[in-house]
Amino acid sequence: MSLYSMVLFLATASVLLIPLTVLVFLGLREWIRRRSKTLIPTLKSPTEDGKIPKVVGFFHPYCNAGGGGERVLWCAINAIHSRYKNVRCVVYTGDQNVTGPEIIQKARQRFNIVVNKPVEFVFLKRRDWVEAGTWPYFTLLGQSLGSLFLAWEAMMKYVPDIYLDSMGYAFTIPLFKYLGGCQAGCYVHYPTISTDMLSRVKERKKTYNNPNFISGSSFLTSVKLLYYRLFAYIYGIAGARSDVVMVNSTWTQGHILELWNAKDRTSIVYPPCDTEEFLKLPLVDDSDKKEHSIVSIAQFRPEKDHPLQIKAFSLLLRRIPEEEREKVKLYLVGSCRNQGDADRVDALREMCEELKIRPYVQFKLNVSFADLKKYLGEATIGLHTMWNEHFGIGVVECMAAGTVILAHNSGGPKMDIVVEYNNKQTGFLADDEETYADAMETILQMTGKERMEIQKAARESVGRFSEQEFSAGFLNSVEQLLA
């Protein structure tokens, strides 16, 4: 075959393949939509006024985890139910070891949220595809590709009219939008990749996701930078397919606008914080308090940096006379999602033993909402150590409960939460063991009256983050999808 003939053949094949690919795609989409109509028929049964309801599907594989993202999920569902009578909600979850009613019950126990209308749960079997442990290398890419497989399983079980990714799996958005034929939106808690992550790799800083063997090698650092940049590009393309983009903070907005280039449809919707319940706790002068507790509220995930809390607390104790140390305790309060979290808790306990501070540190796992209020109500300091926390619901809860907050000097706490309010200080910021220990020491040495001034200002400031404000912002954003 001559070169001319080969080129002609390839050109002809290409011309034929394009319409064939389009036809296959359209046929597959039509099959998926038609097939979905036979699944969970009760979702499309007419309402009391005879109308066929719209169905909103929330992709939230860890809906029973009990973290801040789950509070967003349940408040979003309640907000939709409160305004739209002809809308029904579906949650795609990988929590197979529980039933729907048990999930709803945990939402009430953990968040004091009563889900006021029925919710349909679609249980997914392959959540392991998005587990970090499944992808020990190229974790970001692996989890993102895994989310496509999990989203395909979700589509095979039901396709909603409106798809909302409420957990940060941006790669699923094009799948549901183009193959599922859905209108698509998302609530972004934290960009999967950010320019800050690129900077840390470039500067060869060792972190939980940039181990020694990479940070110590210029060649591997260059390879990882290339990988991150390519991933960021693809991530931006996927996320930008969203019709509506909600972000939870100024920090997240900055990164999403840079990566997704979707300014015309991106808005900040601060996450809902249970300020109402925590504000009921009395503010009292603690000048005569015999024991001061420092309370951390965070899931036991690596990025929450519990080791920094323990090391800083150990440094603080070394500054306190031995006979006075019994008067200071650290409480680590949080939920465990899986075995990985449980293993981290064991490692943290071992760290306390090694630092000889185990008697002064208490671990409180998967506590009820009532117990959470109790710990915060008795606390002097609320502690937060996550670098570039997207927002920081736990930070707001600590402030509303009347603790003096000590948060990481980055991300949402720095830009949105622990800021001056009416020209008054609302808390403290730190970024390493030394500055955290310094701030804790300063707070404990303040008079009760001085702490009270900060506590009052902090409480006044948290009204910006109430469930009511979230509901209004969320509904305003999704109105175009539900109209």
Side-chain angles (χ1 to χ4, degrees):
M1 181 183 289
S2 67
L3 180 61
Y4 173 78
S5 299
M6 184 178 295
V7 171
L8 183 63
F9 171 76
L10 292 174
T12 304
S14 297
V15 170
L16 292 174
L17 278 174
I18 291 173
L20 181 61
T21 302
V22 172
L23 286 173
V24 170
F25 173 81
L26 293 175
L28 181 59
R29 184 169 74 171
E30 182 62 21
W31 174 75
I32 289 171
R33 294 295 294 179
R34 285 180 177 274
R35 180 179 180 278
S36 181
K37 290 180 181 179
T38 66
L39 306 172
I40 321 180
T42 53
L43 287 172
K44 281 294 186 178
S45 60
T47 56
E48 292 179 1
D49 56 7
K51 293 182 179 179
I52 301 298
K54 285 187 175 181
V55 178
V56 178
F58 289 86
F59 191 75
H60 208 106
Y62 294 90
C63 77
N64 202 41
E70 288 65 62
R71 176 181 287 281
V72 168
L73 171 68
W74 302 121
C75 287
I77 288 173
N78 271 354
I80 289 173
H81 283 160
S82 67
R83 177 175 290 187
Y84 298 98
K85 294 181 180 179
N86 295 319
V87 174
R88 290 170 180 163
C89 293
V90 170
V91 176
Y92 298 99
T93 178
D95 295 297
Q96 294 191 84
N97 58 336
V98 290
T99 64
E102 287 173 337
I103 293 172
I104 296 296
Q105 177 59 32
K106 183 170 180 178
R108 182 168 189 169
Q109 178 192 46
R110 172 65 182 88
F111 303 119
N112 199 36
I113 292 174
V114 178
V115 181
N116 47 35
K117 287 187 179 179
V119 174
E120 185 74 34
F121 291 92
V122 173
F123 292 94
L124 307 176
K125 297 179 179 179
R126 295 310 308 270
R127 190 174 69 181
D128 57 307
W129 280 102
V130 297
E131 294 274 2
T134 304
W135 312 95
Y137 302 103
F138 299 99
T139 307
L140 291 181
L141 180 61
Q143 287 182 293
S144 297
L145 293 176
S147 72
L148 289 174
F149 289 108
L150 194 63
W152 176 260
E153 181 189 350
M155 281 205 309
M156 290 299 97
K157 292 187 174 180
Y158 191 78
V159 179
D161 299 300
I162 298 156
Y163 172 76
L164 290 176
D165 164 38
S166 53
M167 210 172 168
Y169 294 104
F171 281 57
T172 67
I173 294 168
L175 194 67
F176 270 89
K177 182 173 182 176
Y178 297 121
L179 266 182
C182 307
Q183 289 180 284
C186 61
Y187 188 95
V188 184
H189 299 273
Y190 195 84
T192 304
I193 192 166
S194 68
T195 52
D196 293 332
M197 290 169 66
L198 287 166
S199 297
R200 278 202 162 188
V201 174
K202 189 175 182 179
E203 294 166 8
R204 298 172 67 176
K205 289 185 177 179
K206 179 192 173 186
T207 62
Y208 71 92
N209 59 359
N210 193 44
N212 267 333
F213 75 91
I214 292 178
S215 60
S217 166
S218 58
F219 172 72
L220 291 178
T221 293
S222 298
V223 171
K224 187 167 185 175
L225 274 174
L226 177 62
Y227 159 54
Y228 268 15
R229 284 169 180 154
L230 287 172
F231 180 85
Y233 176 73
I234 300 169
Y235 174 66
I237 291 174
R241 301 313 101 195
S242 222
D243 299 305
V244 169
V245 180
M246 292 166 280
V247 297
N248 65 348
S249 70
T250 303
W251 182 87
T252 304
Q253 182 189 47
H255 287 284
I256 289 300
L257 291 180
E258 185 175 356
L259 293 165
W260 292 12
N261 193 27
K263 187 175 182 179
D264 59 326
R265 52 192 183 278
T266 301
S267 57
I268 297 177
V269 180
Y270 288 129
C273 307
D274 191 10
T275 52
E276 183 179 348
E277 285 299 312
F278 288 112
L279 288 170
K280 293 176 182 178
L281 294 169
L283 274 185
V284 295
D285 187 331
D286 63 359
S287 299
D288 298 326
K289 205 171 188 180
K290 294 182 178 179
E291 180 179 300
H292 292 283
S293 60
I294 301 167
V295 175
S296 161
I297 305 173
Q299 288 179 326
F300 288 96
R301 307 202 310 259
E303 62 269 25
K304 295 299 183 180
D305 206 354
H306 289 88
L308 175 56
Q309 298 178 1
I310 291 171
K311 292 173 185 176
F313 181 65
S314 175
L315 183 56
L316 170 69
L317 287 181
R318 292 203 295 270
R319 299 177 182 180
I320 298 174
E322 192 169 348
E323 63 275 11
E324 297 290 319
R325 291 177 189 172
E326 284 292 338
K327 298 178 181 179
V328 183
K329 294 286 193 300
L330 172 63
Y331 288 81
L332 302 182
V333 182
S335 57
C336 282
R337 302 165 302 165
N338 50 38
Q339 188 57 45
D341 288 355
D343 291 343
R344 275 183 282 277
V345 171
D346 291 339
L348 292 171
R349 287 190 170 115
E350 288 180 14
M351 178 182 287
C352 292
E353 294 286 355
E354 291 169 4
L355 293 171
K356 295 180 171 52
I357 61 169
R358 187 67 183 88
Y360 310 103
V361 181
Q362 298 290 321
F363 291 83
K364 303 296 179 180
L365 311 181
N366 302 317
V367 303
S368 67
F369 182 75
D371 285 338
L372 178 64
K373 281 177 63 178
K374 173 180 175 292
Y375 292 125
L376 284 179
E378 296 172 352
T380 301
I381 299 173
L383 186 60
H384 163 275
T385 49
M386 180 176 171
W387 172 73
N388 270 345
E389 171 87 86
H390 39 86
F391 177 70
I393 287 180
V395 174
V396 176
E397 290 178 339
C398 287
M399 293 166 71
T403 72
V404 178
I405 189 64
L406 171 55
H408 200 282
N409 190 23
S410 64
K414 178 183 179 180
M415 300 175 76
D416 292 308
I417 306 174
V418 190
V419 297
E420 282 195 355
Y421 188 76
N422 292 335
N423 297 316
K424 293 180 180 179
Q425 182 182 2
T426 58
F428 292 79
L429 297 168
D431 54 22
D432 59 22
E433 295 172 34
E434 194 75 32
T435 53
Y436 269 101
D438 289 345
M440 285 188 278
E441 187 175 24
T442 297
I443 295 167
L444 293 176
Q445 288 177 349
M446 295 172 78
T447 65
K449 184 178 179 181
E450 288 171 331
R451 285 193 289 266
M452 181 70 76
E453 289 301 312
I454 296 174
Q455 292 167 322
K456 286 180 178 178
R459 273 199 161 179
E460 290 172 8
S461 74
V462 299
R464 300 170 291 153
F465 312 121
S466 67
E467 290 183 10
Q468 292 76 17
E469 289 293 322
F470 168 80
S471 295
F474 176 82
L475 290 172
N476 184 58
S477 296
V478 301
E479 185 176 14
Q480 60 179 290
L481 302 179
L482 293 167

